[in-house]
Short mmCIF file of all heavy atoms in Angstrom, two decimals:
data_model
loop_
_atom_site.label_atom_id
_atom_site.label_comp_id
_atom_site.label_asym_id
_atom_site.label_seq_id
_atom_site.Cartn_x
_atom_site.Cartn_y
_atom_site.Cartn_z
N LEU A 229 -9.87 22.29 32.96
CA LEU A 229 -10.45 23.09 31.82
C LEU A 229 -11.89 23.33 31.99
O LEU A 229 -12.36 24.48 31.94
CB LEU A 229 -10.17 22.34 30.49
CG LEU A 229 -8.68 22.04 30.27
CD1 LEU A 229 -8.56 21.20 28.92
CD2 LEU A 229 -7.96 23.35 30.05
N VAL A 230 -12.69 22.25 32.18
CA VAL A 230 -14.06 22.33 32.29
C VAL A 230 -14.69 21.33 33.36
O VAL A 230 -13.91 20.32 33.61
CB VAL A 230 -14.83 22.10 30.91
CG1 VAL A 230 -14.51 23.21 29.94
CG2 VAL A 230 -14.46 20.71 30.37
N ASP A 231 -15.83 21.68 33.84
CA ASP A 231 -16.49 20.80 34.73
C ASP A 231 -17.41 19.98 33.89
O ASP A 231 -18.36 20.45 33.27
CB ASP A 231 -17.29 21.56 35.81
CG ASP A 231 -17.94 20.65 36.74
OD1 ASP A 231 -17.45 19.47 37.06
OD2 ASP A 231 -19.00 21.01 37.25
N VAL A 232 -17.18 18.58 33.85
CA VAL A 232 -17.94 17.66 32.95
C VAL A 232 -19.00 16.95 33.77
O VAL A 232 -18.73 16.46 34.89
CB VAL A 232 -16.96 16.70 32.34
CG1 VAL A 232 -17.64 15.79 31.40
CG2 VAL A 232 -15.92 17.43 31.48
N THR A 233 -20.18 16.77 33.12
CA THR A 233 -21.25 15.95 33.81
C THR A 233 -21.81 15.03 32.65
O THR A 233 -21.83 15.43 31.49
CB THR A 233 -22.38 16.85 34.38
OG1 THR A 233 -22.83 17.71 33.36
CG2 THR A 233 -21.85 17.63 35.55
N PRO A 234 -22.28 13.88 33.09
CA PRO A 234 -22.94 12.99 32.07
C PRO A 234 -24.25 13.57 31.55
O PRO A 234 -24.86 14.35 32.28
CB PRO A 234 -23.05 11.70 32.75
CG PRO A 234 -23.20 12.07 34.23
CD PRO A 234 -22.35 13.29 34.36
N PRO A 235 -24.76 13.20 30.45
CA PRO A 235 -26.03 13.65 29.94
C PRO A 235 -27.18 13.18 30.82
O PRO A 235 -27.03 12.13 31.50
CB PRO A 235 -26.16 13.08 28.59
CG PRO A 235 -25.23 11.93 28.54
CD PRO A 235 -24.12 12.31 29.54
N GLU A 236 -28.20 13.92 30.81
CA GLU A 236 -29.37 13.57 31.72
C GLU A 236 -29.85 12.14 31.38
O GLU A 236 -30.00 11.79 30.15
CB GLU A 236 -30.53 14.56 31.54
CG GLU A 236 -31.66 14.31 32.45
CD GLU A 236 -32.68 15.42 32.34
OE1 GLU A 236 -32.43 16.37 31.61
OE2 GLU A 236 -33.78 15.29 32.96
N GLY A 237 -30.08 11.34 32.42
CA GLY A 237 -30.58 9.97 32.17
C GLY A 237 -29.48 8.96 31.91
O GLY A 237 -29.85 7.78 31.63
N HIS A 238 -28.26 9.33 31.81
CA HIS A 238 -27.16 8.40 31.57
C HIS A 238 -26.40 8.02 32.76
O HIS A 238 -25.98 8.99 33.51
CB HIS A 238 -26.22 8.93 30.44
CG HIS A 238 -24.99 8.08 30.21
ND1 HIS A 238 -25.10 6.99 29.43
CD2 HIS A 238 -23.73 8.12 30.64
CE1 HIS A 238 -23.92 6.42 29.36
NE2 HIS A 238 -23.05 7.06 30.15
N SER A 239 -26.25 6.80 33.03
CA SER A 239 -25.38 6.41 34.29
C SER A 239 -24.00 6.14 33.82
O SER A 239 -23.76 5.33 32.95
CB SER A 239 -25.98 5.12 34.83
OG SER A 239 -25.13 4.67 35.87
N PRO A 240 -23.02 6.89 34.37
CA PRO A 240 -21.66 6.66 34.01
C PRO A 240 -21.22 5.25 34.27
O PRO A 240 -20.13 4.83 33.69
CB PRO A 240 -20.91 7.68 34.91
CG PRO A 240 -21.93 8.68 35.25
CD PRO A 240 -23.23 7.95 35.31
N ALA A 241 -21.87 4.49 35.11
CA ALA A 241 -21.39 3.22 35.42
C ALA A 241 -21.49 2.28 34.24
O ALA A 241 -20.91 1.16 34.19
CB ALA A 241 -22.30 2.59 36.59
N HIS A 242 -22.24 2.63 33.14
CA HIS A 242 -22.50 1.84 32.00
C HIS A 242 -21.34 2.04 30.96
O HIS A 242 -21.39 1.41 29.94
CB HIS A 242 -23.80 2.17 31.37
CG HIS A 242 -24.96 1.75 32.25
ND1 HIS A 242 -26.16 2.50 32.10
CD2 HIS A 242 -25.11 0.86 33.27
CE1 HIS A 242 -26.99 1.92 33.02
NE2 HIS A 242 -26.40 1.00 33.73
N GLY A 243 -20.40 2.87 31.29
CA GLY A 243 -19.33 3.17 30.37
C GLY A 243 -19.30 4.59 29.81
O GLY A 243 -20.39 5.15 29.66
N PHE A 244 -18.19 4.95 29.35
CA PHE A 244 -18.06 6.32 28.81
C PHE A 244 -16.90 6.30 27.90
O PHE A 244 -15.71 6.43 28.25
CB PHE A 244 -17.86 7.33 29.95
CG PHE A 244 -18.08 8.76 29.55
CD1 PHE A 244 -19.30 9.35 29.56
CD2 PHE A 244 -16.99 9.52 29.13
CE1 PHE A 244 -19.52 10.71 29.14
CE2 PHE A 244 -17.13 10.88 28.75
CZ PHE A 244 -18.46 11.39 28.76
N LEU A 245 -17.15 6.19 26.60
CA LEU A 245 -16.09 6.07 25.56
C LEU A 245 -15.52 7.39 25.08
O LEU A 245 -16.30 8.25 24.61
CB LEU A 245 -16.62 5.30 24.42
CG LEU A 245 -15.57 5.06 23.26
CD1 LEU A 245 -14.33 4.31 23.78
CD2 LEU A 245 -16.18 4.39 22.10
N VAL A 246 -14.31 7.66 25.31
CA VAL A 246 -13.52 8.78 24.78
C VAL A 246 -12.30 8.16 24.11
O VAL A 246 -11.62 7.51 24.76
CB VAL A 246 -13.16 9.83 25.82
CG1 VAL A 246 -12.25 10.88 25.18
CG2 VAL A 246 -14.47 10.47 26.33
N GLU A 247 -12.07 8.54 22.82
CA GLU A 247 -10.86 7.91 22.15
C GLU A 247 -10.44 8.99 21.09
O GLU A 247 -11.20 9.27 20.24
CB GLU A 247 -11.26 6.57 21.48
CG GLU A 247 -10.12 5.88 20.94
CD GLU A 247 -10.41 4.42 20.63
OE1 GLU A 247 -11.29 4.20 19.80
OE2 GLU A 247 -9.74 3.54 21.16
N TYR A 248 -9.22 9.39 21.24
CA TYR A 248 -8.75 10.46 20.42
C TYR A 248 -7.33 10.48 20.16
O TYR A 248 -6.46 10.02 20.97
CB TYR A 248 -9.18 11.89 20.96
CG TYR A 248 -8.57 12.32 22.24
CD1 TYR A 248 -7.32 12.90 22.36
CD2 TYR A 248 -9.25 11.99 23.48
CE1 TYR A 248 -6.80 13.27 23.56
CE2 TYR A 248 -8.70 12.35 24.65
CZ TYR A 248 -7.51 13.07 24.72
OH TYR A 248 -6.95 13.36 25.93
N LEU A 249 -6.89 10.92 18.99
CA LEU A 249 -5.52 11.18 18.64
C LEU A 249 -5.11 12.60 18.86
O LEU A 249 -5.99 13.48 18.65
CB LEU A 249 -5.30 10.84 17.10
CG LEU A 249 -3.90 11.04 16.51
CD1 LEU A 249 -3.78 10.15 15.26
CD2 LEU A 249 -3.81 12.55 15.94
N THR A 250 -3.98 12.84 19.54
CA THR A 250 -3.64 14.25 19.74
C THR A 250 -2.13 14.44 19.46
O THR A 250 -1.33 13.48 19.62
CB THR A 250 -3.86 14.62 21.29
OG1 THR A 250 -3.59 16.02 21.42
CG2 THR A 250 -3.05 13.75 22.17
N CYS A 251 -1.81 15.58 19.00
CA CYS A 251 -0.41 15.89 18.61
C CYS A 251 -0.18 17.37 18.81
O CYS A 251 -0.88 18.20 18.24
CB CYS A 251 -0.20 15.56 17.15
SG CYS A 251 1.44 15.91 16.48
N ASN A 252 0.84 17.78 19.62
CA ASN A 252 1.27 19.14 19.77
C ASN A 252 2.27 19.50 18.65
O ASN A 252 3.43 19.01 18.70
CB ASN A 252 1.83 19.34 21.16
CG ASN A 252 2.06 20.73 21.49
OD1 ASN A 252 2.16 21.63 20.57
ND2 ASN A 252 2.01 21.14 22.74
N MET A 253 1.74 20.33 17.75
CA MET A 253 2.56 20.68 16.59
C MET A 253 3.31 22.02 16.73
O MET A 253 3.52 22.69 15.79
CB MET A 253 1.66 20.65 15.31
CG MET A 253 0.99 19.35 15.10
SD MET A 253 -0.28 19.40 13.82
CE MET A 253 0.74 19.55 12.33
N ALA A 254 3.45 22.43 17.97
CA ALA A 254 4.11 23.67 18.43
C ALA A 254 3.20 24.89 18.18
O ALA A 254 2.90 25.57 19.13
CB ALA A 254 5.43 23.91 17.64
N ASP A 255 2.76 25.25 16.97
CA ASP A 255 1.89 26.34 16.72
C ASP A 255 0.41 26.04 16.90
O ASP A 255 -0.39 26.91 17.08
CB ASP A 255 2.17 26.92 15.36
CG ASP A 255 3.47 27.71 15.30
OD1 ASP A 255 3.51 28.78 15.89
OD2 ASP A 255 4.39 27.21 14.62
N VAL A 256 0.07 24.72 16.92
CA VAL A 256 -1.34 24.32 17.12
C VAL A 256 -1.22 22.91 17.83
O VAL A 256 -0.24 22.22 17.71
CB VAL A 256 -2.20 24.20 15.85
CG1 VAL A 256 -2.30 25.49 15.14
CG2 VAL A 256 -1.61 23.14 14.85
N VAL A 257 -2.32 22.59 18.57
CA VAL A 257 -2.47 21.29 19.09
C VAL A 257 -3.55 20.61 18.41
O VAL A 257 -4.77 21.04 18.44
CB VAL A 257 -2.70 21.28 20.63
CG1 VAL A 257 -2.89 19.93 21.16
CG2 VAL A 257 -1.55 22.04 21.37
N PHE A 258 -3.28 19.54 17.65
CA PHE A 258 -4.24 18.84 16.79
C PHE A 258 -4.81 17.64 17.51
O PHE A 258 -4.11 16.79 18.04
CB PHE A 258 -3.53 18.41 15.51
CG PHE A 258 -4.49 17.78 14.48
CD1 PHE A 258 -4.86 18.63 13.44
CD2 PHE A 258 -4.90 16.48 14.52
CE1 PHE A 258 -5.81 18.07 12.47
CE2 PHE A 258 -5.84 15.97 13.57
CZ PHE A 258 -6.24 16.74 12.60
N THR A 259 -6.15 17.65 17.63
CA THR A 259 -6.85 16.51 18.29
C THR A 259 -7.99 16.03 17.38
O THR A 259 -8.78 16.91 16.83
CB THR A 259 -7.46 17.00 19.66
OG1 THR A 259 -6.40 17.43 20.51
CG2 THR A 259 -8.23 15.83 20.31
N SER A 260 -8.14 14.79 17.33
CA SER A 260 -9.19 14.13 16.48
C SER A 260 -9.71 12.94 17.19
O SER A 260 -8.92 12.08 17.61
CB SER A 260 -8.64 13.81 15.03
OG SER A 260 -9.55 13.00 14.36
N GLY A 261 -11.05 12.79 17.29
CA GLY A 261 -11.49 11.62 17.88
C GLY A 261 -13.02 11.59 18.11
O GLY A 261 -13.82 12.37 17.59
N ARG A 262 -13.43 10.65 19.04
CA ARG A 262 -14.81 10.41 19.35
C ARG A 262 -14.95 10.62 20.85
O ARG A 262 -14.15 10.27 21.63
CB ARG A 262 -15.20 9.01 19.02
CG ARG A 262 -15.29 8.68 17.57
CD ARG A 262 -15.58 7.29 17.30
NE ARG A 262 -14.55 6.31 17.72
CZ ARG A 262 -14.64 5.07 17.81
NH1 ARG A 262 -15.85 4.47 17.60
NH2 ARG A 262 -13.69 4.28 18.28
N PHE A 263 -16.08 11.34 21.19
CA PHE A 263 -16.30 11.76 22.64
C PHE A 263 -17.70 11.47 22.93
O PHE A 263 -18.60 11.86 22.17
CB PHE A 263 -15.95 13.20 22.78
CG PHE A 263 -14.58 13.64 22.32
CD1 PHE A 263 -14.36 13.92 21.03
CD2 PHE A 263 -13.58 13.68 23.26
CE1 PHE A 263 -13.01 14.33 20.60
CE2 PHE A 263 -12.33 14.10 22.89
CZ PHE A 263 -12.03 14.30 21.51
#
Side-chain angles (χ1 to χ4, degrees):
L229 302 174
V230 292
D231 181 30
V232 180
T233 56
E236 186 175 353
H238 175 79
S239 171
H242 295 155
F244 194 86
L245 179 61
V246 171
E247 191 165 57
Y248 61 89
L249 176 151
T250 185
C251 177
N252 191 331
M253 305 170 70
D255 284 291
V256 299
V257 178
F258 188 97
T259 300
S260 168
R262 294 178 291 168
F263 304 85

